[in-house]
Amino acid sequence: MNSLYQELEQLITKLKIDLSVEEMHGLLVGWLCVNGIDEKGWQSMLFPEVETEEELYPIFLQIAKELADPDFGFDLLLPDDEESLVIRGEALALWCQGFLAGIGLTGLDVKKITEIMEPTQDISEISQLDFMVLSDDSKEDEEAFVDISEYVRMAVLLIYAEILIKKSGSYKDLDENIH
């Protein structure tokens, strides 16, 4: 299991945050796509009832670095492939819901940025899919899940690029600000 997954899972339990690991990761990624790492007040906006900044900031920074990786090192934080396809599918839906919530909390009107309207709508539709129909015995279902997950990953990177990279000028400028 991914160490970030475990770290986030432990932190959620410790701080009694009522989110899954996938929702939490999606929420942080959505926020970062719009506001970036320098935005003040992220902790109080995302988690007003919990004092999390000291413990959550290293995770927040790690996610920001992954998003800014010019080699596309960012990945969705989902359960391992050993989990059933239904569990992974439901986790993907939760991740998408968290991502949309993170964007929503920023106050961004997605409709005002033409380039992100379609991928954001697609992520919204994926968040509503019924993954209970998937079968672990179906190669087609596994391939479809992998394709959908990769589409979401690339859609997030596109949204990130359209919003933040334009603000900062280039990957190089953003990368220098994070590292």
Side-chain angles (χ1 to χ4, degrees), residues 9-45:
E9 187 174 47
Q10 290 169 355
L11 189 59
I12 288 169
T13 301
K14 178 182 176 185
L15 298 173
K16 298 180 177 122
I17 296 173
D18 191 25
L19 294 173
S20 69
V21 171
E22 298 81 12
E23 286 173 298
M24 176 88 148
H25 187 255
L27 182 75
L28 295 172
V29 170
W31 176 270
L32 283 164
C33 278
V34 177
N35 287 332
I37 197 74
D38 294 328
E39 180 68 28
K40 303 295 181 219
W42 64 273
Q43 184 271 333
S44 61
M45 180 61 105

Side-chain angles (χ1 to χ4, degrees), residues 55-71:
E55 293 174 279
L56 191 53
Y57 188 75
I59 293 172
F60 195 66
L61 185 60
Q62 180 178 345
I63 295 168
K65 286 179 180 180
E66 290 172 2
L67 275 170
D69 182 355
D71 295 323

Side-chain angles (χ1 to χ4, degrees), residues 95-132:
W95 192 97
C96 291
Q97 291 167 20
F99 177 76
L100 296 169
I103 287 178
L105 286 170
T106 68
L108 176 71
D109 184 355
V110 173
K111 294 175 185 153
K112 290 185 177 180
I113 305 174
T114 307
E115 296 85 358
I116 69 168
M117 282 176 43
E118 184 177 340
T120 304
Q121 180 60 40
D122 291 344
I123 290 172
S124 178
E125 290 174 13
I126 291 166
S127 78
Q128 302 304 312
L129 289 177
D130 180 8
F131 288 99
M132 294 299 290

